[in-house]
Amino acid sequence: MSAVAVKYAELQELGVEVFAISTDSRFSHKIWQEEELSKMVPGGVPFPLLSDQGGRVGTVYGVYDEDAGVDIRGRFLIDPDFNLRAMEVLTPEVGRNVSELIRQVKAFQHVRATGEVTPSGWQPGKPTLTPGPDLAGKVWKVWKPDSAF
Amino acid sequence: MAENKDGCVKPSKGPILAAVESPAASPVITKEVPKVQARVGKPAPDFELAALVGGGFKNIKLSDYKGKWIVICFYPGDFTFV
């Protein structure tokens, strides 16, 4: 959570609203913010902390672990038409990579603005592809696997 | 900063699911259990949840943010380590 908070300004520049959700109560969120998060990030995390008590929303998103009674780590990206664009779900012991989230936001925004598609590992400035009959069987001419890294 | 005057936020709705049309003549009464509805390329499942916003509490409805890019992050619990 605090890693997302550090990159929050960049996410805001990209026009992204961030919401964090766990099965804890809002009162627990408040004490966590005051006692711990505010010591990792000045002022605490700048986005809302939502309370999914009972895991009903987590169930609909496929991240509620009934045995543990918690929402496991899941990150969902939604576009301005309110369609789900990307999701990443991990078991609790490994944290997420905020840089990859930001890369995906930039890629989806580029696709939405241009109609081009972004190949594996695309970063802003790297070549994109324009799908069409002429490209079939010719991707090797315009894109090399090394470009993914 | 959210107003802090509401000490007991009204209960949030949780998942807001599309109404399932029940045949009026159906004698079987079943309670609709929320199933996984999150699919990439499909509309995001809407919800309303209680939230800590700034220093105060309020309910947040996801579809109020329609028109913006939205990231939602589920995490296992406050005071966890990663």
Side-chain angles (χ1 to χ4, degrees), chain A residues 37-51:
Chain A
L37 294 176
S38 60
K39 284 151 188 147
M40 298 183 194
V41 182
V45 298
F47 42 81
L49 298 174
L50 280 58
S51 171

Side-chain angles (χ1 to χ4, degrees), chain A residues 84-132:
Chain A
L84 199 52
R85 283 292 152 196
M87 48 175 137
E88 180 184 42
V89 182
L90 288 73
T91 52
E93 60 277 15
V94 171
R96 287 164 288 222
N97 183 338
V98 185
S99 301
E100 170 60 7
L101 166 63
I102 289 170
R103 188 194 74 82
Q104 288 183 13
V105 170
K106 287 177 177 171
F108 277 111
Q109 290 184 343
H110 183 88
V111 168
R112 194 178 164 90
T114 63
E116 299 166 354
V117 297
T118 64
S120 174
W122 181 84
Q123 296 278 2
K126 284 197 171 191
T128 56
L129 301 174
T130 305

Side-chain angles (χ1 to χ4, degrees), chain B residues 10-61:
Chain B
K10 71 180 167 77
S12 62
K13 294 194 183 95
I16 301 170
L17 306 172
V20 179
E21 276 203 37
S22 52
S26 171
V28 185
I29 297 163
T30 51
K31 191 167 181 252
E32 194 62 26
V33 181
K35 293 182 287 277
V36 178
Q37 298 190 346
R39 299 267 186 279
V40 289
K42 301 284 186 222
D46 195 14
F47 57 78
E48 182 191 275
L49 290 176
L52 174 71
V53 185
F57 298 131
K58 66 181 251 189
N59 287 348
I60 285 184
K61 188 179 175 191

Side-chain angles (χ1 to χ4, degrees), chain A residues 37-91:
Chain A
L37 294 176
S38 60
K39 284 151 188 147
M40 298 183 194
V41 182
V45 298
F47 42 81
L49 298 174
L50 280 58
S51 171
D52 179 29
Q53 289 185 291
R56 292 189 301 147
V57 170
T59 299
V60 170
Y61 275 83
V63 295
Y64 183 63
D65 180 339
E66 281 185 26
D67 296 331
V70 300
D71 290 329
I72 56 175
R73 283 182 209 290
R75 183 264 292 156
F76 297 81
L77 174 61
I78 299 166
D79 73 15
D81 294 323
F82 212 61
N83 288 317
L84 199 52
R85 283 292 152 196
M87 48 175 137
E88 180 184 42
V89 182
L90 288 73
T91 52

Side-chain angles (χ1 to χ4, degrees), chain B residues 58-76:
Chain B
K58 66 181 251 189
N59 287 348
I60 285 184
K61 188 179 175 191
L62 192 68
S63 55
D64 287 346
Y65 295 85
K66 208 176 272 189
K68 305 198 75 169
W69 291 86
I70 303 169
V71 168
I72 52 181
C73 293
F74 291 90
Y75 64 99

